[in-house]
């Protein structure tokens, strides 16, 4: 199984979390769908739950909380890019034209984090590991397997993420208008054009979870009051669908083709 035992390289997607209006309902939904185990955490961390898959950290689910006088945050999955120095990365994000949404903060002894938006408005997090380096399992059924940037400005994204993280964005051979995010020469995510999304969709990052059978997973999701946004279809990497959970958080599920 693809267990992760060492910290992620800078710029690599390393964690995802969801801030839900009803945390317990979200925990129950993903427990049923993916087999995650999670319960609300300590009050000092706002009740944030670290969900596990077979005893290994896979994703976070917390209660949506807004500072007084501020609108409630949207119910969305947020992906985090790894950094060895969150403060330096924050400075680089601002210098490259990004916007800070939540500046660098300590999360106990676990690590440091921030949340920002790129110049086109796609929101992402940054995680500097302390005692916790991120997802301990990826690329298996029920776990994070891909992170994809949907943007209307690929050259702008390449400039921003290159300057802030050292990420390279390169075209994928044989794919029409699809690019890879590369860290140290290794593909760690993708980039696609916002024009492929429904009209009015803002720039965003889309989280992909692996499943053994995407059609069955979609059926299970719909029975749990999830929404089907793009029915299962075949593509280069396998068979996928775009869905939303029962509280409206979008994500993708994919059954990848076997590696030759």
């Amino acid at each position: 199984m693809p267990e992760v035992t060492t910290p992620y390289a800078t710029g690599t997607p390393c964690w995802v979390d969801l801030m839900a209006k009803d945390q317990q309902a979200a925990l129950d939904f993903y427990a049923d769908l993916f087999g995650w185990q999670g319960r609300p955490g300590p009050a000092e961390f706002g009740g944030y739950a670290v969900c596990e898959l077979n005893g290994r950290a896979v994703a976070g689910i917390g209660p949506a909380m807004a500072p007084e006088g501020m609108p409630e945050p949207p119910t969305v999955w947020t992906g985090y890019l790894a950094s060895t120095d969150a403060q330096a990365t924050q400075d680089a994000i601002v210098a490259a034209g990004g916007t800070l949404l939540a500046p660098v903060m300590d999360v106990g002894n676990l690590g440091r984090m921030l949340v920002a938006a790129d110049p086109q408005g796609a929101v992402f997090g940054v995680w500097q590991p302390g005692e916790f380096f991120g997802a301990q399992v990826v690329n298996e059924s029920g776990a994070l397997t891909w992170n994809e940037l949907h943007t209307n400005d690929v050259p702008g994204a390449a400039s921003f993420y290159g300057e802030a993280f050292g990420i390279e964005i390169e075209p994928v051979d044989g794919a029409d208008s699809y690019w890879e995010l590369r860290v140290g020469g290794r593909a760690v995510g993708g980039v696609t054009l916002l024009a492929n999304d429904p009209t009015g969709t803002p720039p965003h990052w889309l989280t992909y979870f692996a499943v053994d059978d995407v059609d069955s997973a979609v059926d299970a999701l719909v029975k749990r009051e999830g929404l089907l946004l793009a029915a299962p279809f075949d593509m280069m990497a396998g068979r996928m669908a775009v869905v939303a959970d029962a509280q409206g958080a979008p994500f993708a599920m994919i059954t990848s083709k076997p590696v030759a």
Side-chain angles (χ1 to χ4, degrees), residues 1 30-31 34-38 50-59 136-144 210:
M1 289 185 177
Y30 289 98
F34 293 142
W36 294 356
Q37 305 89 36
V50 173
C51 298
E52 296 183 340
L53 182 65
N54 300 320
R56 296 167 295 170
V58 67
Q136 295 170 331
V137 57
V138 295
N139 301 334
E140 70 173 60
S141 184
L144 177 68

Side-chain angles (χ1 to χ4, degrees), residues 142-164:
L144 177 68
T145 192
W146 196 244
N147 295 75
E148 186 176 78
L149 175 64
H150 292 225
T151 184
N152 50 20
D153 183 358
V154 175
S159 175
F160 172 79
Y161 289 99
E163 188 174 334

